[in-house]
Short mmCIF file of all heavy atoms in Angstrom, two decimals:
data_model
loop_
_atom_site.label_atom_id
_atom_site.label_comp_id
_atom_site.label_asym_id
_atom_site.label_seq_id
_atom_site.Cartn_x
_atom_site.Cartn_y
_atom_site.Cartn_z
N LEU A 7 -32.38 -16.27 -21.96
CA LEU A 7 -31.51 -15.11 -22.08
C LEU A 7 -30.17 -15.43 -21.43
O LEU A 7 -30.13 -16.03 -20.35
CB LEU A 7 -32.14 -13.89 -21.39
CG LEU A 7 -33.43 -13.38 -22.03
CD1 LEU A 7 -33.92 -12.15 -21.30
CD2 LEU A 7 -33.21 -13.09 -23.49
N ILE A 8 -29.13 -14.99 -22.07
CA ILE A 8 -27.80 -15.32 -21.57
C ILE A 8 -27.59 -14.83 -20.15
O ILE A 8 -27.18 -15.58 -19.27
CB ILE A 8 -26.73 -14.73 -22.50
CG1 ILE A 8 -26.73 -15.51 -23.83
CG2 ILE A 8 -25.36 -14.80 -21.87
CD1 ILE A 8 -25.67 -15.07 -24.80
N TYR A 9 -27.90 -13.57 -19.92
CA TYR A 9 -27.58 -13.04 -18.60
C TYR A 9 -28.42 -13.69 -17.51
O TYR A 9 -27.97 -13.90 -16.40
CB TYR A 9 -27.67 -11.51 -18.56
CG TYR A 9 -29.06 -10.92 -18.58
CD1 TYR A 9 -29.74 -10.70 -17.39
CD2 TYR A 9 -29.67 -10.58 -19.77
CE1 TYR A 9 -31.00 -10.13 -17.40
CE2 TYR A 9 -30.94 -10.02 -19.79
CZ TYR A 9 -31.60 -9.81 -18.60
OH TYR A 9 -32.86 -9.27 -18.60
N VAL A 42 -19.13 -16.37 -23.20
CA VAL A 42 -19.93 -15.19 -23.57
C VAL A 42 -19.03 -13.97 -23.43
O VAL A 42 -17.91 -14.08 -22.95
CB VAL A 42 -21.16 -15.02 -22.67
CG1 VAL A 42 -22.09 -16.22 -22.79
CG2 VAL A 42 -20.75 -14.82 -21.22
N SER A 43 -19.55 -12.83 -23.83
CA SER A 43 -18.72 -11.63 -23.72
C SER A 43 -18.67 -11.16 -22.27
O SER A 43 -19.54 -11.48 -21.46
CB SER A 43 -19.29 -10.52 -24.58
OG SER A 43 -20.44 -9.98 -23.97
N SER A 45 -19.32 -8.29 -21.29
CA SER A 45 -20.49 -7.44 -21.05
C SER A 45 -21.66 -8.24 -20.49
O SER A 45 -22.38 -7.77 -19.61
CB SER A 45 -20.92 -6.76 -22.34
OG SER A 45 -19.87 -6.03 -22.89
N SER A 46 -21.85 -9.42 -21.01
CA SER A 46 -22.95 -10.24 -20.51
C SER A 46 -22.71 -10.64 -19.07
O SER A 46 -23.64 -10.66 -18.26
CB SER A 46 -23.12 -11.48 -21.39
OG SER A 46 -23.50 -11.10 -22.69
N ARG A 49 -23.47 -7.70 -16.99
CA ARG A 49 -24.91 -7.50 -16.82
C ARG A 49 -25.45 -8.43 -15.74
O ARG A 49 -26.22 -8.02 -14.87
CB ARG A 49 -25.63 -7.75 -18.14
CG ARG A 49 -27.12 -7.79 -18.00
CD ARG A 49 -27.79 -6.94 -19.00
NE ARG A 49 -29.20 -6.73 -18.68
CZ ARG A 49 -30.10 -6.46 -19.60
NH1 ARG A 49 -29.76 -6.38 -20.87
NH2 ARG A 49 -31.35 -6.26 -19.25
N ARG A 64 -13.94 -2.83 -6.81
CA ARG A 64 -13.01 -2.52 -7.90
C ARG A 64 -11.59 -2.80 -7.44
O ARG A 64 -11.18 -2.38 -6.37
CB ARG A 64 -13.15 -1.06 -8.30
CG ARG A 64 -12.12 -0.63 -9.30
CD ARG A 64 -12.18 0.86 -9.52
NE ARG A 64 -13.21 1.23 -10.48
CZ ARG A 64 -13.42 2.49 -10.87
NH1 ARG A 64 -12.73 3.46 -10.37
NH2 ARG A 64 -14.35 2.75 -11.75
N GLY A 65 -10.88 -3.49 -8.24
CA GLY A 65 -9.49 -3.78 -7.91
C GLY A 65 -9.30 -5.07 -7.13
O GLY A 65 -8.20 -5.59 -7.06
N SER A 66 -10.38 -5.56 -6.55
CA SER A 66 -10.24 -6.76 -5.71
C SER A 66 -11.00 -7.96 -6.25
O SER A 66 -10.46 -9.06 -6.33
CB SER A 66 -10.74 -6.48 -4.29
OG SER A 66 -10.11 -5.36 -3.75
P DT C 8 -33.29 -7.32 -22.23
OP1 DT C 8 -33.83 -8.44 -21.43
OP2 DT C 8 -32.68 -6.14 -21.60
"O5'" DT C 8 -32.24 -7.92 -23.26
"C5'" DT C 8 -32.62 -9.07 -24.01
"C4'" DT C 8 -31.48 -9.51 -24.87
"O4'" DT C 8 -31.15 -8.48 -25.82
"C3'" DT C 8 -30.18 -9.81 -24.11
"O3'" DT C 8 -29.83 -11.15 -24.40
"C2'" DT C 8 -29.18 -8.79 -24.65
"C1'" DT C 8 -29.76 -8.48 -26.02
N1 DT C 8 -29.43 -7.16 -26.59
C2 DT C 8 -28.81 -7.11 -27.81
O2 DT C 8 -28.51 -8.10 -28.45
N3 DT C 8 -28.56 -5.83 -28.27
C4 DT C 8 -28.86 -4.63 -27.64
O4 DT C 8 -28.59 -3.56 -28.15
C5 DT C 8 -29.50 -4.77 -26.36
C7 DT C 8 -29.87 -3.55 -25.60
C6 DT C 8 -29.75 -6.01 -25.90
P DC C 9 -28.68 -11.87 -23.61
OP1 DC C 9 -28.93 -13.32 -23.71
OP2 DC C 9 -28.52 -11.22 -22.31
"O5'" DC C 9 -27.40 -11.54 -24.50
"C5'" DC C 9 -27.34 -12.05 -25.82
"C4'" DC C 9 -26.15 -11.44 -26.55
"O4'" DC C 9 -26.42 -10.05 -26.82
"C3'" DC C 9 -24.84 -11.43 -25.76
"O3'" DC C 9 -24.06 -12.54 -26.21
"C2'" DC C 9 -24.20 -10.07 -26.12
"C1'" DC C 9 -25.17 -9.47 -27.13
N1 DC C 9 -25.31 -7.98 -27.03
C2 DC C 9 -24.84 -7.20 -28.07
O2 DC C 9 -24.32 -7.76 -29.04
N3 DC C 9 -24.97 -5.85 -27.99
C4 DC C 9 -25.54 -5.31 -26.91
N4 DC C 9 -25.64 -3.98 -26.87
C5 DC C 9 -26.04 -6.10 -25.83
C6 DC C 9 -25.90 -7.42 -25.93
P DT C 10 -22.55 -12.71 -25.71
OP1 DT C 10 -22.22 -14.14 -25.89
OP2 DT C 10 -22.34 -12.06 -24.42
"O5'" DT C 10 -21.76 -11.90 -26.82
"C5'" DT C 10 -22.06 -12.13 -28.19
"C4'" DT C 10 -21.16 -11.29 -29.06
"O4'" DT C 10 -21.60 -9.91 -29.03
"C3'" DT C 10 -19.69 -11.29 -28.64
"O3'" DT C 10 -18.89 -11.63 -29.75
"C2'" DT C 10 -19.42 -9.86 -28.17
"C1'" DT C 10 -20.48 -9.07 -28.92
N1 DT C 10 -20.93 -7.84 -28.22
C2 DT C 10 -20.79 -6.62 -28.83
O2 DT C 10 -20.31 -6.48 -29.92
N3 DT C 10 -21.24 -5.56 -28.10
C4 DT C 10 -21.81 -5.60 -26.83
O4 DT C 10 -22.19 -4.57 -26.28
C5 DT C 10 -21.92 -6.90 -26.24
C7 DT C 10 -22.50 -7.07 -24.88
C6 DT C 10 -21.48 -7.95 -26.95
P DA C 11 -17.51 -12.33 -29.57
OP1 DA C 11 -17.38 -13.26 -30.70
OP2 DA C 11 -17.36 -12.79 -28.19
"O5'" DA C 11 -16.49 -11.14 -29.79
"C5'" DA C 11 -16.58 -10.35 -30.97
"C4'" DA C 11 -15.67 -9.15 -30.82
"O4'" DA C 11 -16.37 -8.10 -30.13
"C3'" DA C 11 -14.40 -9.44 -30.00
"O3'" DA C 11 -13.27 -9.05 -30.77
"C2'" DA C 11 -14.58 -8.65 -28.73
"C1'" DA C 11 -15.52 -7.53 -29.16
N9 DA C 11 -16.36 -6.99 -28.10
C8 DA C 11 -16.90 -7.65 -27.04
N7 DA C 11 -17.63 -6.90 -26.24
C5 DA C 11 -17.57 -5.64 -26.82
C6 DA C 11 -18.12 -4.40 -26.47
N6 DA C 11 -18.88 -4.22 -25.39
N1 DA C 11 -17.86 -3.33 -27.27
C2 DA C 11 -17.09 -3.53 -28.35
N3 DA C 11 -16.51 -4.65 -28.78
C4 DA C 11 -16.80 -5.68 -27.97
P DG C 12 -11.80 -9.24 -30.18
OP1 DG C 12 -10.96 -9.56 -31.34
OP2 DG C 12 -11.83 -10.11 -28.99
"O5'" DG C 12 -11.43 -7.76 -29.73
"C5'" DG C 12 -11.79 -6.68 -30.58
"C4'" DG C 12 -11.80 -5.39 -29.78
"O4'" DG C 12 -12.97 -5.33 -28.94
"C3'" DG C 12 -10.60 -5.22 -28.85
"O3'" DG C 12 -9.93 -4.02 -29.17
"C2'" DG C 12 -11.23 -5.17 -27.47
"C1'" DG C 12 -12.59 -4.59 -27.80
N9 DG C 12 -13.56 -4.73 -26.72
C8 DG C 12 -13.88 -5.87 -26.03
N7 DG C 12 -14.75 -5.68 -25.08
C5 DG C 12 -15.01 -4.31 -25.13
C6 DG C 12 -15.88 -3.51 -24.35
O6 DG C 12 -16.59 -3.85 -23.41
N1 DG C 12 -15.85 -2.18 -24.75
C2 DG C 12 -15.08 -1.69 -25.78
N2 DG C 12 -15.17 -0.39 -26.02
N3 DG C 12 -14.27 -2.43 -26.54
C4 DG C 12 -14.29 -3.72 -26.15
P DA C 13 -8.41 -3.83 -28.70
OP1 DA C 13 -7.60 -3.88 -29.92
OP2 DA C 13 -8.10 -4.71 -27.57
"O5'" DA C 13 -8.45 -2.33 -28.18
"C5'" DA C 13 -9.17 -1.35 -28.93
"C4'" DA C 13 -9.58 -0.22 -27.99
"O4'" DA C 13 -10.69 -0.67 -27.18
"C3'" DA C 13 -8.44 0.16 -27.02
"O3'" DA C 13 -8.00 1.48 -27.30
"C2'" DA C 13 -9.08 0.05 -25.64
"C1'" DA C 13 -10.58 -0.11 -25.90
N9 DA C 13 -11.22 -1.02 -24.95
C8 DA C 13 -11.01 -2.36 -24.81
N7 DA C 13 -11.75 -2.93 -23.88
C5 DA C 13 -12.49 -1.87 -23.37
C6 DA C 13 -13.46 -1.79 -22.35
N6 DA C 13 -13.86 -2.85 -21.64
N1 DA C 13 -14.00 -0.58 -22.09
C2 DA C 13 -13.59 0.47 -22.81
N3 DA C 13 -12.71 0.52 -23.79
C4 DA C 13 -12.18 -0.69 -24.02
P DC C 14 -6.62 1.92 -26.64
OP1 DC C 14 -6.10 2.98 -27.53
OP2 DC C 14 -5.81 0.73 -26.29
"O5'" DC C 14 -7.09 2.60 -25.28
"C5'" DC C 14 -8.08 3.63 -25.32
"C4'" DC C 14 -8.60 3.86 -23.92
"O4'" DC C 14 -9.38 2.72 -23.50
"C3'" DC C 14 -7.48 4.03 -22.86
"O3'" DC C 14 -7.68 5.28 -22.21
"C2'" DC C 14 -7.68 2.86 -21.93
"C1'" DC C 14 -9.16 2.55 -22.12
N1 DC C 14 -9.54 1.18 -21.71
C2 DC C 14 -10.59 1.01 -20.82
O2 DC C 14 -11.20 2.00 -20.42
N3 DC C 14 -10.94 -0.24 -20.42
C4 DC C 14 -10.26 -1.29 -20.89
N4 DC C 14 -10.62 -2.50 -20.47
C5 DC C 14 -9.18 -1.15 -21.80
C6 DC C 14 -8.86 0.09 -22.18
P DC C 15 -6.65 5.78 -21.13
OP1 DC C 15 -6.35 7.16 -21.49
OP2 DC C 15 -5.57 4.80 -20.91
"O5'" DC C 15 -7.54 5.80 -19.80
"C5'" DC C 15 -8.89 6.25 -19.86
"C4'" DC C 15 -9.59 5.94 -18.54
"O4'" DC C 15 -9.91 4.53 -18.49
"C3'" DC C 15 -8.74 6.24 -17.31
"O3'" DC C 15 -9.52 6.99 -16.39
"C2'" DC C 15 -8.39 4.87 -16.75
"C1'" DC C 15 -9.55 4.01 -17.23
N1 DC C 15 -9.23 2.58 -17.42
C2 DC C 15 -9.91 1.63 -16.65
O2 DC C 15 -10.74 2.00 -15.83
N3 DC C 15 -9.61 0.32 -16.84
C4 DC C 15 -8.70 -0.04 -17.75
N4 DC C 15 -8.45 -1.33 -17.90
C5 DC C 15 -8.01 0.92 -18.55
C6 DC C 15 -8.30 2.21 -18.35
P DA C 16 -8.83 7.53 -15.06
OP1 DA C 16 -9.56 8.78 -14.74
OP2 DA C 16 -7.36 7.49 -15.19
"O5'" DA C 16 -9.24 6.46 -13.98
"C5'" DA C 16 -10.62 6.28 -13.66
"C4'" DA C 16 -10.74 5.44 -12.40
"O4'" DA C 16 -10.41 4.08 -12.72
"C3'" DA C 16 -9.79 5.85 -11.29
"O3'" DA C 16 -10.47 5.63 -10.06
"C2'" DA C 16 -8.61 4.92 -11.46
"C1'" DA C 16 -9.30 3.66 -11.94
N9 DA C 16 -8.52 2.78 -12.81
C8 DA C 16 -7.63 3.14 -13.76
N7 DA C 16 -7.10 2.12 -14.40
C5 DA C 16 -7.70 1.01 -13.83
C6 DA C 16 -7.57 -0.36 -14.04
N6 DA C 16 -6.77 -0.89 -14.95
N1 DA C 16 -8.32 -1.18 -13.28
C2 DA C 16 -9.14 -0.65 -12.36
N3 DA C 16 -9.35 0.63 -12.06
C4 DA C 16 -8.59 1.41 -12.83
P DC C 17 -9.84 6.05 -8.69
OP1 DC C 17 -10.93 6.72 -7.97
OP2 DC C 17 -8.53 6.68 -8.93
"O5'" DC C 17 -9.60 4.65 -7.99
"C5'" DC C 17 -10.70 3.78 -7.77
"C4'" DC C 17 -10.17 2.41 -7.44
"O4'" DC C 17 -9.40 1.93 -8.56
"C3'" DC C 17 -9.22 2.38 -6.23
"O3'" DC C 17 -9.81 1.53 -5.26
"C2'" DC C 17 -7.90 1.86 -6.80
"C1'" DC C 17 -8.35 1.14 -8.07
N1 DC C 17 -7.35 1.03 -9.16
C2 DC C 17 -6.96 -0.23 -9.59
O2 DC C 17 -7.46 -1.23 -9.04
N3 DC C 17 -6.06 -0.35 -10.60
C4 DC C 17 -5.56 0.74 -11.17
N4 DC C 17 -4.68 0.57 -12.17
C5 DC C 17 -5.95 2.05 -10.76
C6 DC C 17 -6.84 2.15 -9.75
P DC C 18 -9.14 1.37 -3.86
OP1 DC C 18 -10.24 1.21 -2.89
OP2 DC C 18 -8.10 2.39 -3.68
"O5'" DC C 18 -8.40 -0.04 -3.99
"C5'" DC C 18 -9.18 -1.22 -4.12
"C4'" DC C 18 -8.26 -2.41 -4.27
"O4'" DC C 18 -7.51 -2.26 -5.49
"C3'" DC C 18 -7.23 -2.52 -3.15
"O3'" DC C 18 -7.54 -3.69 -2.39
"C2'" DC C 18 -5.87 -2.63 -3.83
"C1'" DC C 18 -6.20 -2.75 -5.30
N1 DC C 18 -5.34 -1.93 -6.21
C2 DC C 18 -4.58 -2.56 -7.20
O2 DC C 18 -4.63 -3.80 -7.27
N3 DC C 18 -3.82 -1.82 -8.04
C4 DC C 18 -3.81 -0.49 -7.93
N4 DC C 18 -3.06 0.20 -8.78
C5 DC C 18 -4.58 0.18 -6.93
C6 DC C 18 -5.32 -0.56 -6.10
P DG C 19 -6.73 -3.90 -1.03
OP1 DG C 19 -7.61 -4.71 -0.17
OP2 DG C 19 -6.20 -2.61 -0.56
"O5'" DG C 19 -5.51 -4.80 -1.50
"C5'" DG C 19 -5.75 -6.13 -1.98
"C4'" DG C 19 -4.49 -6.62 -2.66
"O4'" DG C 19 -4.12 -5.66 -3.67
"C3'" DG C 19 -3.31 -6.73 -1.70
"O3'" DG C 19 -2.91 -8.09 -1.61
"C2'" DG C 19 -2.23 -5.85 -2.31
"C1'" DG C 19 -2.73 -5.57 -3.72
N9 DG C 19 -2.42 -4.21 -4.17
C8 DG C 19 -2.78 -3.02 -3.61
N7 DG C 19 -2.36 -1.98 -4.27
C5 DG C 19 -1.66 -2.52 -5.34
C6 DG C 19 -0.97 -1.88 -6.41
O6 DG C 19 -0.84 -0.67 -6.61
N1 DG C 19 -0.40 -2.81 -7.28
C2 DG C 19 -0.49 -4.18 -7.14
N2 DG C 19 0.12 -4.91 -8.06
N3 DG C 19 -1.14 -4.79 -6.16
C4 DG C 19 -1.69 -3.90 -5.30
#
Side-chain angles (χ1 to χ4, degrees):
Chain A
L7 295 182
I8 290 183
Y9 73 89
V42 299
S43 75
S45 303
S46 295
R49 170 131 193 206
R64 173 188 277 183
S66 306

